[in-house]
Amino acid sequence: MAWHIFSFLILSSCVARYAGGAAVDSSTTSIRDPANLVNLFIGTTKGGHTFPGATLPHGMLKVGPDTNSPDNHAGYDANPIWNFVGFSQMHDDGTGGSPPLSNFKLWPFQSCGQSDEFEQCTTSLSTRSVPRKVLSNGLPDDTAEPGYFSTNLSTSIRVELTATRKVALHKYTFPAGTQNPRILLDLTDDGQRSGRNPVMELDPATGRIKGDASFAASFGVGGYNAYACVDFKGDGFQLGAPKEFGGWVDDSPVKNVTNANQLQFFSGSQVGAMLTFTPRRIGPTSILARVGVSFISADQACSNAEQEISTFDFNHVRSAARAEWNDLLGRIQVKTDDVDPEIVSLFYSSVYRTHISPADYSGENPRWDSTEPYYDSLYCNWDTYRTLYSFMALHDPVNFARIVRGMINIQQHEGWLPECRGATDQQWVQGGSNGDPILGEFFVKFHEHAAALNVSGDALYTALLRDAEEQPQDWDLQGRQANDWKTFGFLPFDRSTGGGSNTRHVSRALEYAFDDFAISQVAKILNKTDDAAKYARRAGNYINNWNATTVVPGRENIVGMMQLRLSNGSFAFTDPRHCSVNDPTHSTCFLDSNNHDGFYESSPIVYSQYVPQDTAKLILLQGGNQKFIDRLNFIFEENYFDSTDEPSQQIPFMYHYANRPGLSTQTSRQVIAQFYNTSTNGLPGNDDSGAMGSYVAFYLAGLYPLPATRQFLLSSPYFPEISFFNPIFGTTTTIRAKNFNGNPKDGTGGTVFVRSVKIDGELWKSNCFIEWDAFIHGSTIDLELTDDINMTCGEGADSLPPSLSTGGYD
Ligand SMILES: *[C@@H]1O[C@H](CO)[C@@H](O)[C@H](O)[C@H]1NC(C)=O
Ligand SMILES: *[C@@H]1O[C@H](CO)[C@@H](O)[C@H](O)[C@H]1NC(C)=O
Ligand SMILES: *[C@@H]1O[C@H](CO)[C@@H](O)[C@H](O)[C@H]1NC(C)=O
Ligand SMILES: *[C@@H]1O[C@H](CO)[C@@H](O)[C@H](O)[C@H]1NC(C)=O
Ligand SMILES: *[C@@H]1O[C@H](CO)[C@@H](O)[C@H](O)[C@H]1NC(C)=O
Ligand SMILES: *[C@@H]1O[C@H](CO)[C@@H](O)[C@H](O)[C@H]1NC(C)=O
Ligand SMILES: *[C@@H]1O[C@H](CO)[C@@H](O)[C@H](O)[C@H]1NC(C)=O
Ligand SMILES: *[C@@H]1O[C@H](CO)[C@@H](O)[C@H](O)[C@H]1NC(C)=O
């Protein structure tokens, strides 16, 4: 989802330091340390809500700093006016809702009060917060790289963080002279202060603290329990038993308490534990804190910790994390001659964010036992189905397969595929059953390897049919409003059917149509011919919401819009400008129950372009190629294109279907130039669990996906050469831009338009799309570029990208 932030101060020049630099060895050898090109601070102001802390690819733990910023959805805010309040263990990346998963904060005190006593520590969230250290250039003293984060607090304590999959390792270095280094554990604050029923058990001999509480979902009605197990060790010295210990409630530390039931607190109280250690005699004191987390039990949190980090070797954990990132990122290689280093960094940073969510919670599912993988933080499929999994397909099919297995396993236990799962709980469905195109994408691209990847085609197909055919009790949490969809072929807006919110009828219907398209694609592969035809027909239901005479007020040349429909077949009118920056009523269109205008998070104008399965037909509905191009131009010229929100993502590439691929190339490059860069405000809105990261990565690679098909739309890469290694096929696919001549800074013009394509030396039929086969075989794809924006897709009838009505997708 996008989360529109209107009223927030931005430090547009605030670029915190990152570990970028000269990691590109040279243009002829490979990039060996792509982690060094990742800037984790992109999108950490202005509502990008990105997570800059330490994690593994799809790691459950995402350990990072938490601020008191209103934009602390991932904890951090690059703007140093916001103080730190703790260093918590989980987080999400780029979400809206309430701040999720900022559980089990640790917090170091350099000293407490005038006489530095335990009872004088200010323990509550608001009183313990301290300013960050700000450098002379105005930036916070923060560093981040894949698998590592560090900061210096204004109390001169240095904080360093790293992680394995389920365990975080913190290092707190107290300045020399610190008499009473203290570390607090916060059990109740999860970012939204929802923790209730805190449990705490402290062992004074070892300093081990076990704790848990129950917490509320961030974007739903449910909740979850989470458990932590914290152990401490001196870095380079014997720490010994803590010299003081106890608990705390709000701003009252209580010495010698070893159990939460010895504390007096109320529902809503802040509760935790605190320890004081004996400092090193000479020099600074570094204390390591290992935090195991579990969704099952505190004992499991301890065993996770012992298994994954037995020796507290900070540098080892940190370099193992970086090596894992390098293995994943290094499967994509680019040549960088004539490429602005900022673009190289933007690319690898975007690829990086494709691999934060979903998170691998295998072994931590509290709801049922299974040996299948369990992935969580699908926050939400509505955001990610368009581009994230298609990018994963290029270089990370094994994780993709595990995520699909996890989704199927959830369907088998809960009845329907998960949609917006977070913190082990069902959360709000935003649109269609958007898990369908994710499963479709997997099966269309990897069905020949499904058995090797342990994905059952039958189970996958059963899960899809469930979404398509059976209406759950509450289609706000899973599945779809299937009954009306099957009866009417659209979602009549005058029927109060119960079972879910009576909103978003048009946008949901358009997505149901695309979901059914994905199912038809899978049915075709399974030789279920009747089903394939049935769901292809249902994929055509988008047309039922098309009112051919609706115009944009004042723009009579823009004719035909997706509109609400009543059960008797009549249309209802929604102003096409609704929910855009040009909406005269400034209405919103989030999940609020007042949204009765049929559309979710984007205008009818944007949704009237959303028929990715049959753009050829959409062009006919809109009056042919020239009118279609005029409409696309209108969308950009009048700011209907919404860079912050996913329904607009394909629009810049749609000129392809009107045989004007040069316009797609130029428009997509203008979008990158205008909205995406490596600054902390270089994301126009929420990253949405990597939805925006994967989208930018595709644009920079010169490709755009259509999930559940074997085609990619083709443009020119921002690099003279880009290659993808796919470990399932064991092949490397290389796209070379023969006469590459750099990228125009503002995206306009340049020698960037595709004139011809050769695949493995053979002239290819289209300048507008390539086939998945090229990625299976590990082909070399040679593009010849020109500065002529007027190039077409090619001469033949099969040079245009496929659409359902022009023969379909084979
Ligand atoms: C913090 O201070 C240490 C020691 O002075 C220094 O080495 C480090 O670069 C500083 N910055 C960060 C982000 O750790
Ligand atoms: C805590 O325990 C220590 C050691 O047994 C004792 O000296 C001290 O008085 C106790 N403090 C409180 C506040 O109970
Ligand atoms: C598939 O399952 C088998 C048997 O459980 C296992 O040995 C193998 O590693 C799995 N393969 C993948 C790719 O998960
Ligand atoms: C579908 O039919 C084709 C052609 O007869 C065959 O090669 C393929 O194995 C069949 N696939 C399945 C899943 O039965
Ligand atoms: C459909 O119902 C609406 C609202 O009751 C009504 O205004 C309209 O005239 C009806 N259309 C037809 C074709 O009966
Ligand atoms: C389209 O909607 C308008 C009202 O906005 C209505 O007058 C017109 O009849 C509708 N078109 C069709 C084909 O029903
Ligand atoms: C980065 O992009 C944002 C828009 O997303 C823009 O406001 C900002 O000026 C850009 N910064 C630079 C340095 O280009
Ligand atoms: C592309 O077409 C436009 C409009 O027909 C024309 O003005 C322009 O010169 C052409 N560009 C090139 C490079 O031929």
Side-chain angles (χ1 to χ4, degrees), residues 546-550 563 565 569-574:
W546 182 257
N547 181 327
T549 60
T550 308
Q563 291 282 283
R565 203 93 190 261
S570 285
F571 282 95
F573 178 71
T574 301

Side-chain angles (χ1 to χ4, degrees), residues 660 786-790:
R660 290 299 308 273
T786 164
D787 61 2
D788 184 354
I789 196 172
N790 298 328

Side-chain angles (χ1 to χ4, degrees), residues 143 266 460 480 491 522 532 546 770 793:
T143 298
F266 306 98
L460 181 142
R480 329 178 184 170
L491 300 176
V522 173
W546 182 257
I770 52 178
C793 290

Side-chain angles (χ1 to χ4, degrees), residues 12 46 342 673-679 681-684:
S12 61
K46 204 189 163 192
E342 155 139 11
Q674 196 178 344
F675 300 109
Y676 297 92
N677 55 55
T678 58
S679 302
N681 66 355
L683 265 185

Side-chain angles (χ1 to χ4, degrees), residues 488-500:
F488 295 90
F490 59 95
L491 300 176
F493 124 100
D494 55 339
R495 277 168 55 82
S496 187
T497 55

